[in-house]
Amino acid sequence: MTDEPLLRVSALSKYYGARLGCEDVTFDLWPGEVLAVVGESGSGKTTLLNCLSTRLTPSSGGVSYRMRDGSWRDLYRMSEAERRFLMRTDWGFVHQNPADGLRMTVSAGANVGERLMAIGDRHYGNIRSTAVDWLSRVEIGKDRIDDEPRSFSGGMRQRLQIARNLVTGPRLVFMDEPTGGLDVSVQARLLDLLRGLVTDLGLAAIVVTHDLAVARLLSQRMMVMKDGYVVETGLTDRVLDDPRAPYTQLLVSSILQV
Amino acid sequence: MNIADYNFAYLDEQTKRMIRRAILKGIAIPGYQVPFASREMPMPYGWGTGGVQITASIIGPDDVLKVIDQGADDTTNAVSIRAFFKKVADVAVTTETAKATIIQTRHRIPEYPLRAGQTLVYQVPIPEPLRFLEPRETETRKMHALEEYGLMHVKLYEDIAKHGRIATTYAYPVKVEGRYVMDPSPTPKFDNPKMHMSPALQLFGAGREKRIYAVPPFTEVVSLDFEDHPFEIQTFDQPCALCGAENVYLDEVILDDKGGHMFVCSDTDHCEKRQAEGHRGHLAPEAMEPAE
Ligand SMILES: Nc1ncnc2c1ncn2[C@@H]1O[C@H](COP(=O)(O)OP(=O)(O)O)[C@@H](O)[C@H]1O
Ligand SMILES: [Mg+2]
């Protein structure tokens, strides 16, 4: 790890009118670090993730990001063009529902190749071989490259969505309940795959989940949210083995130990 | 119908001014789709109401109008638009490309090279080249504004993945003056190179979708492609059966119910001109029964 964080979040709050989404969230994310955001439904996890990834504008507070050239940028002061460029090159966003993150009517190969074409790759053969490579990294056979994701199972779709995001070598990936809609056995395989990719690529990630097992497997650090507030943060093992906030204790004791 | 009831060229002067402003803006920003308040015309959408409104706004009493549909001057669509302007603007009409000052077209660019001072008016059904993969208008507008055109190549990628080559033959997307990606309307890609650096002014009107766009004279128009799958126009392995022309766009004509067919110029004016000059294809009447 370097001596500077990748992302700095300070006093971030988001209100939907009078309704609280999340309140006063502050943390740093380090390069290569995986942070899990856990909490029950409605606790503000998605709101926080969408604010961080600039899909929502917060009501107050700030987020700055260290660009590839080392300069720090305030995310909400970037032009829309810069922000969109960042989102499709240096970032990834994995939606819970793969259909929200994929183009369902074009082939798997085109789904993976889209980001490459968006940044100016104009060699069909290269785009295709990169797509084959990424499909195999997410365990999709190259015989499926010309199939549309509509013909894929839920687990395959999710793996395709991951490949589509990682093809430009992003440094930061946002994930909202990445295993949420999947069968338990499929979840386990996807988690394994994700853990391998994150480690191999040295990715930083912010993973929203209501599933403590996902947090345990993927993250080094976790943040527990309740009613829009962060009630506890710490190293994942510490929080799960020795929860301090009463709410976290309740949460941990209410699930089977993993 | 009493012609005196109509303003010159049917549209009132305020409307023409509004459309001319949209045209001027389009010329100032080549390839950019300018929204305009499209009017009801006395013909249904799909009959070239966008092109008709442009023509009505730019035509003057001294203009000479040619109207083509798929290269032909004598289809119902072309005939009725020509008759319309004859009636409401009392302008001279022609089928000769060289003699026309305004050429309104659906689906073709004439073979005879256009010159400075001529205006080609395209009838456009769907002006948005990104619509195929992105149905949201808010998003396509943003993509144009931010020059995010990766999606156009996704479409071409899909073509190659499915057919082994870029199978798009009509409405083949182009980049104008290095900036806006534009749909050249359903012309065959054969005509794309004619748009590049054309001395004529090219105006595009979409009536139902309420958009006008333009390519000013001598503007760069480049067809999108991949390095390893470069843009190519259609080629025909035989010349026109009637006039013997090569390097022109040919239509297949069925001759009988036994599979008999021939390929002839889609640009009928061009074909007839060549035949009048004595050029003969292998199925030209005079070739079968030699002239006296
Ligand atoms: N678009 C919205 N409009 C109004 N309230 C919202 C909106 N999205 C979320 N909220 C509210 O914000 C709170 C946090 O929601 P959310 O971030 O979706 O939580 P989580 O992802 O943890 O389930 C909830 O009270 C929710 O009802
Ligand atoms: Mg949520």
Side-chain angles (χ1 to χ4, degrees), chain B residues 50-253:
Chain B
V52 168
Q53 289 177 78
I54 289 184
T55 299
S57 305
I58 62 170
I59 203 162
D62 300 331
D63 273 308
V64 181
L65 180 69
K66 171 181 165 77
V67 182
I68 48 170
D69 176 11
Q70 309 265 15
D73 299 83
D74 57 1
T75 66
T76 316
N77 187 285
V79 168
S80 49
I81 291 173
R82 200 163 51 229
F84 173 74
F85 281 110
K86 242 172 117 165
K87 184 174 259 177
V88 301
D90 195 26
V91 292
V93 294
T94 183
T95 56
E96 277 182 67
T97 301
K99 288 198 178 138
T101 55
I102 298 173
I103 302 165
Q104 181 170 328
T105 179
R106 175 173 175 266
H107 291 194
R108 278 308 311 277
I109 299 176
E111 304 291 358
Y112 189 83
L114 300 177
R115 59 177 153 70
Q118 288 183 306
T119 301
L120 189 57
V121 178
Y122 296 75
Q123 304 171 196
V124 179
I126 300 166
E128 180 48 70
L130 294 159
R131 185 66 72 240
F132 172 77
L133 289 172
E134 182 50 72
R136 290 168 298 178
E137 174 74 16
T138 48
E139 188 64 17
T140 53
R141 282 216 205 183
K142 195 166 282 177
M143 289 168 154
H144 282 294
L146 301 178
E147 225 177 322
E148 290 181 3
Y149 290 129
L151 216 46
M152 290 314 311
H153 276 86
V154 169
K155 184 173 184 293
L156 299 179
Y157 171 99
E158 283 294 90
D159 253 16
I160 305 173
K162 287 206 177 77
H163 309 283
R165 67 198 155 77
I166 298 177
T168 301
T169 50
Y170 286 86
Y172 191 106
V174 294
K175 195 165 207 178
V176 181
E177 205 65 7
R179 177 58 180 84
Y180 284 96
V181 166
M182 183 186 95
D183 186 327
S185 88
T187 46
K189 66 178 179 176
F190 181 89
D191 286 339
N192 276 19
K194 294 178 189 162
M195 308 179 79
H196 178 63
M197 290 295 166
S198 170
L201 169 64
Q202 302 175 72
L203 303 176
F204 301 78
R208 187 179 33 216
E209 304 247 347
K210 304 177 169 57
R211 291 287 184 280
I212 284 173
Y213 49 104
V215 175
F218 303 106
T219 297
E220 191 181 85
V221 178
V222 178
S223 302
L224 304 184
D225 62 4
F226 286 102
E227 288 158 20
D228 48 344
H229 286 267
F231 172 77
E232 283 170 351
I233 59 171
Q234 292 100 330
T235 54
F236 301 90
D237 35 5
Q238 44 189 308
C240 170
L242 295 178
C243 78
E246 294 178 15
N247 305 317
V248 295
Y249 192 74
L250 302 180
D251 285 334
E252 185 177 2
V253 176

Side-chain angles (χ1 to χ4, degrees), chain A residues 16 19-22 39-48 176-177 208:
Chain A
Y16 299 100
R19 182 194 289 269
L20 172 62
C22 65
E40 64 195 27
S41 177
S43 58
K45 307 181 298 291
T46 297
T47 299
L48 175 62
D176 193 356
E177 307 274 6
V208 159

